[in-house]
Structure formats: C-alpha cells, structure tokens
Amino acid sequence: MYFMNSYCNEVLKTVESKYPWEKEFIQAVNEVFLSLGALIEMEPVYREEKILDRIVEPERTYIFRVPWRDDKGNIQVNTGYRIGFNSTLGPYKGGLRFHPSVTLSIFKFLGFEQTFKNALTGLPLGGGKGGSDFNPKGRSNNEIENFCQSFMTSLYNHIGPNTDVPAGDIGVGAREIGYLFGQYKRLKNVFEGVLTGKGLDWGGSLMRPEATGFGATYFAEEMLKTRGENIDGKIVTVSGFGNVAWGVVTKVTDLGGKVVTLSGPDGFIHDKEGISGEKIDYMLKMRVSSRDRVQDYAEKFKVDFYPDKRPWGVKCDIAFPSATENEMDENDAKELISNGCRCVTECANMPATQKAMDLLLESKILYSPGKASNAAGVACSGLEMAQNSTKMKWTREEVDKRLRQIMTDIHINCLQAVERYGARGNYFAGANIAGFIKVANAMLDQGNT
Ligand code: NDP
Ligand code: 2IT
C-alpha cells in the first residue's frame, strides 16, 4: 500500500535534483507520492500524460519587493510571494502567511498541499499560497497597515475573485485581511470577494474564524466513531495558541473534552484543570497582546510552564498539533504512542516530520493528515466566496451544517479511496489518493495545460 512506484520515484528525483534546497517542498511531494504507488500502477494514463511531472510544478510564481515605512520614518524592505499552484478545479485559493521563517520552499509545500486539500472539500477551488517574511511581532497597527498596503499594491493586478483568492494563515487574521482588502478596493475600483476571512459587515462569512478548529474537531469525532469512541471525557493536548488552536480548544471543550496544553515559540503550558471559559477568551487577547509568549497564560492562571519544550510528552488521549510545520519529531511521536495517545489530528499543515509520520502510521493509532482534517478553514472560505457571488449571507447554523457535512464527506472519501487503492484505515493514503484523483482527472479532461 505504502510504496514509491517507479514513475513517482522518477518525478521525485527530478524535483530533488532541480530544487535540492527546497526541503519542505520535497518532504511534501515525497509524502503524497508514497501514497500513490498502487493507484499509479493501476492507471497508466497518469504516466502517459505526465500528470506527476505537471502537478509538482506551480503554474505561476510571483515574487516581489514590499517596501514600507516604519514608525521611525525608516524604509523597510520585505519579500512578497504568491504562488498559483494549480487552477484545474477553480481559482487559486489559499492563505497568506506573514512570518520571518518563510521561504519559497515553504510556500511551494503549502501550495502543493493546498491543491489536494481544496480538492477534498468538493468545492470549486484551485490551490495557491503566499505571504511574506515580514514579522508582525512588535509592529504597531500603523506599521501593519503600511505593510499590507504596500503588499497589496504589488499583488492586486494578479488576483481577483475568479483568478486567485487569498485568505489568512500564520500572522494574517481579520485585521490584515481588512487592510489588504481596503487597498485592493481602492486600486481596482471595485468591491468584490477577492479575499476571504473578511469582516462580518463587509462580506465575511459567519464561522470563518472558528472553522478550521471546529472542522478538525468534527474530523476527530468521525475518526473516533469508527472505534466506538468520542471526545467526551478525553484528555487533549494542543500546540500553538493562534486562530486554529483557539477553534480546537473551543469545540473540544464544548464536546466535553479537556484541553490541557497550549504552546508558543517560548515553550508550552500545562493546565491540568483544563482550558475553558474565561481562559479560552484570554487566548484571543493573548494572540494580540503577546504574540510570542504563552508564558503569560501560565503566570495569569498559575499553571506549569515548560520553557523551550513542546507539549507532546504530556499524557493524552487525543493530540491536535496546531502551530506549524515539522513541530512534531520522531521522539515526540514515540512519547505520544508510549503514553497511550489514541488519536492524532493534524491541524497545522505538515506538523509531523517524515520520521514522526512513519511511526504514527505504523502504530495504527487514528492519525489524520492536515490536508483532510484542517480543510474546514478553506471550505468555509469557499462558502464565503459562494455567499459573495450571490450577494447573500447565510446564518451561522447554515454554515456550520455545511461545514460538518463537508468534513464527514472528506472522512468517508478518505476511507473509500484507501480501501480501493491501499490498505484499510490509513487516512494519510486516503486523503492523498482522493485529492489526487480529483485534480489529476480534471487535468486529463482539460488537456495539456
Ligand atoms: P496563527 O498565526 O494564528 O497562530 C500560529 C501559531 O503557531 C502561533 O502560536 C505561532 O506563534 C506559532 N508559530 C508560528 N510559526 C512558528 C514557528 N516557526 N515556530 C514555533 N511556533 C510557531 O496561525 P493559524 O492558527 O492560522 O495557523 C496555525 C497552523 O494552522 C499553520 O500551520 C497554518 O498553516 C494552519 N492552518 C491555518 C488555517 C487558517 O484558516 N488559519 C487553515 C488550515 C491550516 P508566533 O506567532 O508567536 O510565532
Ligand atoms: O492552510 C489553509 O488551508 C489556510 N490557511 C486557509 C486558506 C483559505 O483560503 O481559507
């Protein structure tokens, strides 16, 4: 089930020799290709039509200078990126990340993953990603606004509701989307749904902020159901303390689970009583006031803080990695498994290293890849686009119902795909196969593009 067939291997080797420095991108391609072995052998047309050669190359990559003026009057220069990875199923769609660690490799891995994730949602969305090495930490509102306006001044001609629709990701939330949208509107002289994650009064969808975390929790519920279990009464560990982590903590708590950890670049906190009520509200405030310090939570609520450590050594039933890529390594995976963890639901994109992933897959615990379990964020963005194009606004209940259905469908599709082309019960292979088939078959339909 899990093997690299010769065509996958050839294309992977080409990527490795063409872009040897793109570690994250190579990791993402490797992970997807490992799942496709049986499918590619059964369907020779993918090889004949060079689908893999085409699918690993972004359709377009735009890299640009972002000059802006800081509060001291000095000029600052950052680099902006927007990758249109694949537009077979719809306009490019995917978030913008503002974080100093970004590289072209990171955006390529994110755009590649996004292509299959968006296909899994069943909505008409292509895959894209972008952002900047701009560091929002410690910047004033004025500086964020200046930066966003400059970023959009370079980008606005390349995006549009039927071309490319960016959204948020790490470091980009409602405030940044507002500044980006305002500048787009001014430059293009048109009010249209070019970004998602907009404010509720000017085209945003209800549920968008909580969608990713809620959807991941629904996905975890579906996985647990296959083993006659649910979230009620479970001990849950979460990493990160951003938008996605907040959504997970809120929904898990709602369903009777007890979340006991959060993490930041400074370390993690262990709150044995569980993170609920005012503590969840505090998470939102903490994001704005002290972006890089989860220690503030520990001081306020008098709980244990572990500097420079990750939360995966804390005993739990379910883990939701919700910070960033490669935040869980093989030692973390070993600890989770030996402590009896029964379910790992990826919320971040590619949070596990290749070795951690191999161990989790071997262990047979329930384990879902981000492209399946975090798909509700972009799915809600797709619903926002639908509302914008019909100039309608759906109720919270309506959006939530659709999101729940989308996550249930993704869960079933993963299981069915893996039953047909691989071994039973491996959500990784299932998500990769189901997402790939959709994109690849549409590429065949659309000819050599
Ligand atoms: P936020 O910016 O709201 O939060 C990100 C969290 O991860 C913060 O706690 C951040 O701390 C931490 N973090 C970021 N980079 C690093 C790093 N290099 N090392 C350690 N910690 C880091 O982002 P989101 O919650 O939106 O995103 C979290 C994850 O979920 C990402 O992988 C993202 O791609 C993924 N995702 C997001 C979706 C969305 O709709 N927002 C949808 C699907 C997936 P700090 O800011 O202090 O560095
Ligand atoms: O990784 C992701 O799916 C996102 N950051 C959300 C993308 C979107 O277009 O809503």
Side-chain angles (χ1 to χ4, degrees):
M1 175 274 310
Y2 217 56
F3 68 99
M4 189 66 80
N5 97 324
S6 61
Y7 177 38
C8 292
N9 201 35
E10 265 166 43
V11 177
L12 177 65
K13 289 282 162 295
T14 306
V15 172
E16 284 172 346
S17 66
K18 238 172 130 175
Y19 309 109
W21 53 87
E22 294 187 351
K23 301 273 179 282
E24 297 82 5
F25 180 56
I26 292 168
Q27 183 185 344
V29 172
N30 184 54
E31 181 223 296
V32 171
F33 281 11
L34 273 172
S35 306
L36 299 182
L39 173 70
I40 301 288
E41 308 239 314
M42 286 162 80
E43 309 287 351
V45 67
Y46 295 137
R47 179 178 207 141
E48 286 154 20
E49 291 298 314
K50 297 214 162 145
I51 290 292
L52 298 184
D53 300 70
R54 290 195 262 154
I55 219 164
V56 294
E57 205 58 59
E59 287 174 16
R60 58 184 218 180
T61 303
Y62 183 41
I63 303 182
F64 48 99
R65 180 171 69 199
V66 190
W68 56 282
R69 211 174 275 280
D70 68 20
D71 285 346
K72 296 197 179 102
N74 296 324
I75 291 187
Q76 300 280 345
V77 183
N78 287 100
T79 308
Y81 302 81
R82 185 70 188 169
I83 298 186
F85 217 101
N86 193 304
S87 64
T88 315
L89 299 179
Y92 305 119
K93 182 83 195 88
L96 294 172
R97 176 178 293 190
F98 293 169
H99 198 276
S101 64
V102 300
T103 59
L104 185 57
S105 168
I106 288 185
F107 288 124
K108 279 180 72 177
F109 119 66
L110 288 165
F112 185 70
E113 290 281 293
Q114 195 83 44
T115 299
F116 303 111
K117 180 197 307 191
N118 294 2
L120 288 171
T121 66
L123 299 171
L125 304 170
K129 204 84 189 189
S132 174
D133 59 354
F134 171 70
N135 188 356
K137 265 179 221 160
R139 291 295 177 190
S140 70
N141 224 27
N142 184 50
E143 290 175 317
I144 304 268
E145 183 178 358
N146 287 348
F147 175 80
C148 288
Q149 289 184 342
S150 178
F151 185 90
M152 186 51 87
T153 302
S154 290
L155 190 62
Y156 81 101
N157 250 332
H158 303 270
I159 59 175
N162 297 309
T163 311
D164 185 354
V165 184
D169 192 81
I170 291 177
V172 177
R175 173 179 58 167
E176 291 74 18
I177 294 294
Y179 293 145
L180 292 164
F181 183 83
Q183 184 72 351
Y184 176 90
K185 179 166 62 72
R186 179 154 68 167
L187 294 168
K188 264 257 170 86
N189 192 28
V190 54
F191 191 111
E192 55 188 4
V194 64
L195 291 153
T196 57
K198 299 186 289 298
L200 287 180
D201 293 331
W202 45 277
S205 175
L206 284 159
M207 298 281 305
R208 181 62 189 87
E210 48 278 68
T212 312
F214 279 28
T217 312
Y218 298 152
F219 198 91
E221 268 195 310
E222 291 299 318
M223 290 198 288
L224 289 164
K225 230 194 267 173
T226 64
R227 297 197 176 163
E229 297 192 61
N230 60 31
I231 284 173
D232 191 22
K234 299 287 188 300
I235 301 293
V236 174
T237 50
V238 172
S239 62
F241 63 101
N243 168 263
V244 174
W246 166 74
V248 171
V249 175
T250 306
K251 187 45 90 179
V252 165
T253 308
D254 246 23
L255 294 173
K258 190 199 266 191
V259 180
V260 295
T261 65
L262 293 174
S263 73
D266 56 336
F268 81 91
I269 61 102
H270 187 187
D271 186 343
K272 297 186 184 86
E273 298 297 311
I275 301 160
S276 61
E278 59 157 339
K279 294 173 176 174
I280 297 180
D281 299 338
Y282 179 75
M283 278 181 77
L284 276 183
K285 255 203 275 164
M286 184 166 72
R287 277 304 296 148
V288 179
S289 60
S290 58
R291 296 186 75 103
D292 55 347
R293 272 169 54 92
V294 81
Q295 189 177 3
D296 294 353
Y297 179 105
E299 283 163 10
K300 181 164 171 65
F301 295 109
K302 314 250 173 315
V303 301
D304 296 333
F305 171 67
Y306 297 86
D308 303 322
K309 291 249 175 344
R310 299 190 282 220
W312 311 124
V314 173
K315 195 171 159 49
C316 69
D317 301 306
I318 311 172
F320 286 89
S322 312
T324 193
E325 58 272 2
N326 292 327
E327 56 162 312
M328 184 184 279
D329 65 18
E330 64 185 304
N331 292 326
D332 297 324
K334 275 183 201 153
E335 278 204 278
L336 278 167
I337 296 163
S338 67
N339 279 337
C341 174
R342 305 212 279 288
C343 176
V344 175
T345 308
E346 290 191 350
C347 300
N349 289 305
M350 207 169 72
T353 62
Q354 180 70 44
K355 283 188 175 152
M357 191 183 113
D358 290 343
L359 286 174
L360 289 168
L361 287 173
E362 274 163 31
S363 77
K364 303 274 187 279
I365 68 179
L366 296 165
Y367 175 35
S368 64
K371 65 170 77 63
S373 37
N374 74 28
V378 75
C380 195
S381 283
L383 302 181
E384 183 170 329
M385 288 161 71
Q387 292 170 79
N388 291 165
S389 62
T390 53
K391 300 203 164 29
M392 295 290 287
K393 196 167 174 72
W394 301 339
T395 61
R396 191 180 168 82
E397 290 68 33
E398 171 85 41
V399 179
D400 192 34
K401 198 170 103 198
R402 285 176 192 261
L403 285 179
R404 223 179 236 276
Q405 189 61 50
I406 289 171
M407 296 316 284
T408 311
D409 290 348
I410 294 177
H411 179 262
I412 293 170
N413 289 340
C414 288
L415 290 183
Q416 285 176 345
V418 87
E419 211 165 312
R420 177 132 191 239
Y421 295 105
R424 209 185 181 104
N426 175 344
Y427 292 95
F428 254 81
N432 288 331
I433 294 166
F436 174 82
I437 288 178
K438 228 170 158 197
V439 180
N441 289 356
M443 286 171 77
L444 291 175
D445 291 344
Q446 292 175 22
N448 183 17
T449 59

